[in-house]
């Protein structure tokens, strides 16, 4: 479901990220395949330096369908950035990718807090975030960070996922089964 980033997947990912319903909401915008290739190389190098964590999301056939990342890492915390290609929206890949990524971040890499800044106009992402039982809207509880994100205007909502909240959720509900036959039928 997830793998470390590499340059071999750039053609498939660029085709997906350039879709008009995806492109406006990605953090790093590439206006050409060459620029996307260069940015991917920079991402791989930044991960090697410990500045971020980036994974490619794969479907059940091993095809790259999006990316999931932890950016701006500081004090065992960072900001989540994820996108899926338009053909994969609404098919359950996002939650499976998040669970796999959160398992790695919290239990293998020592991350304690994951933040999500979501543009207030990105209704699809806000609804997806608010469906997750371990996500807390943090506009008030992390007011200084919220104000910092919105220094240029009222653009973002801030959400927080703590290791403790996520762990409690997993203990209560278990991890979702990654039944590949279910995905194959989606």
């Amino acid at each position: 479901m997830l793998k470390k980033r590499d340059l071999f997947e750039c053609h498939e990912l660029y085709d997906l990220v350039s879709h008009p319903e995806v492109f406006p909401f990605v953090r790093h915008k590439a206006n050409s395949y060459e620029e996307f290739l260069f940015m991917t190389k920079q991402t791989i190098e930044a991960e090697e330096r410990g500045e971020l964590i980036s994974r490619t999301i794969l479907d059940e056939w091993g095809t790259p369908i999006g990316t999931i990342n932890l950016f701006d890492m500081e004090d065992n915390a960072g900001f989540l950035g994820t996108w899926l290609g338009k053909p994969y929206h609404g098919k359950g890949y996002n939650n499976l990718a998040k669970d796999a990524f959160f398992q790695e971040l919290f239990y293998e890499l020592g991350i304690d807090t994951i933040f999500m800044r979501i543009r207030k106009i990105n209704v699809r992402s806000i609804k997806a975030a608010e469906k997750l039982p371990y996500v807390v809207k943090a506009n008030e509880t992390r007011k200084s960070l919220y104000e910092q994100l919105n220094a240029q205007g009222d653009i973002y909502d801030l959400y927080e996922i703590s290791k403790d909240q996520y762990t409690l959720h997993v203990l209560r509900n278990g991890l979702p089964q990654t039944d590949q036959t279910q995905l194959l039928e989606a």
Side-chain angles (χ1 to χ4, degrees), residues 100-120:
F101 198 52
F102 294 169
Q103 288 287 312
E104 180 180 2
L105 294 177
F106 289 138
Y107 307 124
E108 296 174 30
L109 301 177
I111 299 298
D112 295 320
T113 307
I114 299 168
F115 294 108
M116 295 185 295
R117 68 176 194 180
I118 302 174
R119 291 180 186 274
K120 293 183 179 199

mmCIF file of all heavy atoms in Angstrom, residues 100-120:
data_model
loop_
_atom_site.group_PDB
_atom_site.id
_atom_site.type_symbol
_atom_site.label_atom_id
_atom_site.label_comp_id
_atom_site.label_asym_id
_atom_site.label_seq_id
_atom_site.Cartn_x
_atom_site.Cartn_y
_atom_site.Cartn_z
ATOM 1 N N ALA A 100 -1.797 3.128 7.412
ATOM 2 C CA ALA A 100 -0.454 2.562 7.235
ATOM 3 C C ALA A 100 0.618 3.604 7.573
ATOM 4 O O ALA A 100 1.614 3.297 8.239
ATOM 5 C CB ALA A 100 -0.285 2.067 5.796
ATOM 6 N N PHE A 101 0.410 4.843 7.150
ATOM 7 C CA PHE A 101 1.374 5.918 7.401
ATOM 8 C C PHE A 101 1.432 6.251 8.891
ATOM 9 O O PHE A 101 2.516 6.400 9.462
ATOM 10 C CB PHE A 101 0.981 7.145 6.579
ATOM 11 C CG PHE A 101 2.075 8.159 6.410
ATOM 12 C CD1 PHE A 101 3.338 7.816 5.954
ATOM 13 C CD2 PHE A 101 1.834 9.509 6.672
ATOM 14 C CE1 PHE A 101 4.335 8.764 5.762
ATOM 15 C CE2 PHE A 101 2.813 10.461 6.484
ATOM 16 C CZ PHE A 101 4.069 10.094 6.038
ATOM 17 N N PHE A 102 0.272 6.351 9.530
ATOM 18 C CA PHE A 102 0.244 6.675 10.961
ATOM 19 C C PHE A 102 0.914 5.571 11.783
ATOM 20 O O PHE A 102 1.602 5.856 12.763
ATOM 21 C CB PHE A 102 -1.184 6.895 11.441
ATOM 22 C CG PHE A 102 -1.863 8.102 10.841
ATOM 23 C CD1 PHE A 102 -3.212 8.297 11.012
ATOM 24 C CD2 PHE A 102 -1.162 9.042 10.085
ATOM 25 C CE1 PHE A 102 -3.855 9.398 10.467
ATOM 26 C CE2 PHE A 102 -1.790 10.145 9.528
ATOM 27 C CZ PHE A 102 -3.147 10.327 9.725
ATOM 28 N N GLN A 103 0.719 4.314 11.390
ATOM 29 C CA GLN A 103 1.400 3.216 12.083
ATOM 30 C C GLN A 103 2.911 3.406 12.013
ATOM 31 O O GLN A 103 3.611 3.277 13.013
ATOM 32 C CB GLN A 103 1.015 1.867 11.453
ATOM 33 C CG GLN A 103 -0.394 1.412 11.736
ATOM 34 C CD GLN A 103 -0.548 0.937 13.162
ATOM 35 O OE1 GLN A 103 0.245 0.153 13.667
ATOM 36 N NE2 GLN A 103 -1.582 1.429 13.826
ATOM 37 N N GLU A 104 3.408 3.721 10.829
ATOM 38 C CA GLU A 104 4.843 3.930 10.667
ATOM 39 C C GLU A 104 5.315 5.150 11.452
ATOM 40 O O GLU A 104 6.319 5.093 12.176
ATOM 41 C CB GLU A 104 5.180 4.093 9.181
ATOM 42 C CG GLU A 104 6.656 4.305 8.924
ATOM 43 C CD GLU A 104 7.020 4.469 7.456
ATOM 44 O OE1 GLU A 104 6.111 4.462 6.589
ATOM 45 O OE2 GLU A 104 8.226 4.624 7.178
ATOM 46 N N LEU A 105 4.601 6.264 11.329
ATOM 47 C CA LEU A 105 5.018 7.497 12.001
ATOM 48 C C LEU A 105 5.028 7.352 13.515
ATOM 49 O O LEU A 105 6.025 7.677 14.174
ATOM 50 C CB LEU A 105 4.098 8.660 11.607
ATOM 51 C CG LEU A 105 4.133 9.123 10.161
ATOM 52 C CD1 LEU A 105 3.109 10.229 9.930
ATOM 53 C CD2 LEU A 105 5.520 9.591 9.759
ATOM 54 N N PHE A 106 3.917 6.884 14.070
ATOM 55 C CA PHE A 106 3.778 6.832 15.526
ATOM 56 C C PHE A 106 4.593 5.713 16.168
ATOM 57 O O PHE A 106 5.180 5.907 17.230
ATOM 58 C CB PHE A 106 2.307 6.679 15.919
ATOM 59 C CG PHE A 106 1.468 7.911 15.679
ATOM 60 C CD1 PHE A 106 0.199 7.793 15.149
ATOM 61 C CD2 PHE A 106 1.936 9.185 15.987
ATOM 62 C CE1 PHE A 106 -0.596 8.919 14.941
ATOM 63 C CE2 PHE A 106 1.153 10.318 15.781
ATOM 64 C CZ PHE A 106 -0.122 10.181 15.258
ATOM 65 N N TYR A 107 4.622 4.536 15.549
ATOM 66 C CA TYR A 107 5.182 3.370 16.231
ATOM 67 C C TYR A 107 6.558 2.946 15.735
ATOM 68 O O TYR A 107 7.211 2.132 16.371
ATOM 69 C CB TYR A 107 4.198 2.203 16.151
ATOM 70 C CG TYR A 107 2.823 2.601 16.644
ATOM 71 C CD1 TYR A 107 1.706 2.453 15.839
ATOM 72 C CD2 TYR A 107 2.645 3.161 17.904
ATOM 73 C CE1 TYR A 107 0.447 2.832 16.276
ATOM 74 C CE2 TYR A 107 1.391 3.552 18.344
ATOM 75 C CZ TYR A 107 0.294 3.387 17.535
ATOM 76 O OH TYR A 107 -0.943 3.774 17.958
ATOM 77 N N GLU A 108 7.013 3.506 14.616
ATOM 78 C CA GLU A 108 8.350 3.175 14.129
ATOM 79 C C GLU A 108 9.280 4.384 14.101
ATOM 80 O O GLU A 108 10.475 4.237 14.317
ATOM 81 C CB GLU A 108 8.272 2.572 12.713
ATOM 82 C CG GLU A 108 7.523 1.251 12.651
ATOM 83 C CD GLU A 108 7.341 0.751 11.228
ATOM 84 O OE1 GLU A 108 8.206 1.046 10.372
ATOM 85 O OE2 GLU A 108 6.315 0.082 10.965
ATOM 86 N N LEU A 109 8.733 5.566 13.844
ATOM 87 C CA LEU A 109 9.580 6.743 13.625
ATOM 88 C C LEU A 109 9.524 7.773 14.759
ATOM 89 O O LEU A 109 10.171 8.810 14.676
ATOM 90 C CB LEU A 109 9.226 7.395 12.284
ATOM 91 C CG LEU A 109 9.397 6.471 11.066
ATOM 92 C CD1 LEU A 109 8.955 7.167 9.789
ATOM 93 C CD2 LEU A 109 10.839 5.996 10.947
ATOM 94 N N GLY A 110 8.732 7.517 15.801
ATOM 95 C CA GLY A 110 8.742 8.374 16.986
ATOM 96 C C GLY A 110 8.019 9.699 16.857
ATOM 97 O O GLY A 110 8.267 10.624 17.639
ATOM 98 N N ILE A 111 7.097 9.828 15.927
ATOM 99 C CA ILE A 111 6.306 11.052 15.800
ATOM 100 C C ILE A 111 5.203 11.020 16.866
ATOM 101 O O ILE A 111 4.595 9.981 17.119
ATOM 102 C CB ILE A 111 5.695 11.164 14.384
ATOM 103 C CG1 ILE A 111 6.805 11.228 13.320
ATOM 104 C CG2 ILE A 111 4.739 12.353 14.272
ATOM 105 C CD1 ILE A 111 7.727 12.435 13.425
ATOM 106 N N ASP A 112 4.952 12.173 17.503
ATOM 107 C CA ASP A 112 3.932 12.270 18.554
ATOM 108 C C ASP A 112 2.670 12.990 18.102
ATOM 109 O O ASP A 112 1.591 12.731 18.617
ATOM 110 C CB ASP A 112 4.498 13.006 19.777
ATOM 111 C CG ASP A 112 5.618 12.243 20.444
ATOM 112 O OD1 ASP A 112 5.522 11.001 20.547
ATOM 113 O OD2 ASP A 112 6.610 12.891 20.850
ATOM 114 N N THR A 113 2.821 13.932 17.153
ATOM 115 C CA THR A 113 1.677 14.746 16.732
ATOM 116 C C THR A 113 1.732 14.979 15.230
ATOM 117 O O THR A 113 2.781 15.302 14.679
ATOM 118 C CB THR A 113 1.680 16.117 17.439
ATOM 119 O OG1 THR A 113 1.766 15.916 18.850
ATOM 120 C CG2 THR A 113 0.425 16.904 17.120
ATOM 121 N N ILE A 114 0.581 14.808 14.600
ATOM 122 C CA ILE A 114 0.432 15.094 13.175
ATOM 123 C C ILE A 114 -0.606 16.206 13.057
ATOM 124 O O ILE A 114 -1.703 16.099 13.596
ATOM 125 C CB ILE A 114 -0.053 13.847 12.398
ATOM 126 C CG1 ILE A 114 0.957 12.708 12.536
ATOM 127 C CG2 ILE A 114 -0.319 14.196 10.941
ATOM 128 C CD1 ILE A 114 0.439 11.374 12.052
ATOM 129 N N PHE A 115 -0.227 17.272 12.366
ATOM 130 C CA PHE A 115 -1.153 18.365 12.104
ATOM 131 C C PHE A 115 -1.609 18.294 10.652
ATOM 132 O O PHE A 115 -0.891 17.808 9.784
ATOM 133 C CB PHE A 115 -0.472 19.722 12.337
ATOM 134 C CG PHE A 115 -0.108 19.977 13.760
ATOM 135 C CD1 PHE A 115 1.216 19.941 14.164
ATOM 136 C CD2 PHE A 115 -1.085 20.259 14.706
ATOM 137 C CE1 PHE A 115 1.563 20.173 15.487
ATOM 138 C CE2 PHE A 115 -0.747 20.494 16.025
ATOM 139 C CZ PHE A 115 0.584 20.454 16.419
ATOM 140 N N MET A 116 -2.809 18.795 10.433
ATOM 141 C CA MET A 116 -3.314 18.938 9.073
ATOM 142 C C MET A 116 -3.804 20.370 8.917
ATOM 143 O O MET A 116 -4.604 20.826 9.732
ATOM 144 C CB MET A 116 -4.474 17.974 8.808
ATOM 145 C CG MET A 116 -4.098 16.519 8.857
ATOM 146 S SD MET A 116 -5.446 15.404 8.390
ATOM 147 C CE MET A 116 -6.626 15.684 9.681
ATOM 148 N N ARG A 117 -3.289 21.065 7.920
ATOM 149 C CA ARG A 117 -3.837 22.375 7.575
ATOM 150 C C ARG A 117 -4.620 22.150 6.291
ATOM 151 O O ARG A 117 -4.091 21.643 5.302
ATOM 152 C CB ARG A 117 -2.755 23.427 7.419
ATOM 153 C CG ARG A 117 -1.868 23.220 6.247
ATOM 154 C CD ARG A 117 -0.877 24.338 6.091
ATOM 155 N NE ARG A 117 -0.304 24.220 4.749
ATOM 156 C CZ ARG A 117 0.590 25.017 4.272
ATOM 157 N NH1 ARG A 117 1.036 25.999 4.999
ATOM 158 N NH2 ARG A 117 1.054 24.852 3.051
ATOM 159 N N ILE A 118 -5.884 22.486 6.351
ATOM 160 C CA ILE A 118 -6.759 22.237 5.206
ATOM 161 C C ILE A 118 -7.399 23.555 4.801
ATOM 162 O O ILE A 118 -7.969 24.255 5.637
ATOM 163 C CB ILE A 118 -7.841 21.190 5.545
ATOM 164 C CG1 ILE A 118 -7.194 19.873 5.993
ATOM 165 C CG2 ILE A 118 -8.758 20.960 4.342
ATOM 166 C CD1 ILE A 118 -8.186 18.826 6.480
ATOM 167 N N ARG A 119 -7.272 23.873 3.525
ATOM 168 C CA ARG A 119 -7.903 25.098 3.019
ATOM 169 C C ARG A 119 -9.407 25.032 3.280
ATOM 170 O O ARG A 119 -10.050 24.019 3.015
ATOM 171 C CB ARG A 119 -7.667 25.252 1.520
ATOM 172 C CG ARG A 119 -6.246 25.547 1.157
ATOM 173 C CD ARG A 119 -6.099 25.677 -0.363
ATOM 174 N NE ARG A 119 -4.708 25.827 -0.710
ATOM 175 C CZ ARG A 119 -4.072 26.994 -0.732
ATOM 176 N NH1 ARG A 119 -4.725 28.094 -0.441
ATOM 177 N NH2 ARG A 119 -2.800 27.053 -1.050
ATOM 178 N N LYS A 120 -9.947 26.130 3.766
ATOM 179 C CA LYS A 120 -11.373 26.171 4.108
ATOM 180 C C LYS A 120 -12.257 25.945 2.887
ATOM 181 O O LYS A 120 -13.391 25.508 3.030
ATOM 182 C CB LYS A 120 -11.706 27.482 4.815
ATOM 183 C CG LYS A 120 -11.045 27.559 6.179
ATOM 184 C CD LYS A 120 -11.410 28.807 6.942
ATOM 185 C CE LYS A 120 -10.705 28.759 8.293
ATOM 186 N NZ LYS A 120 -11.302 29.643 9.265
#
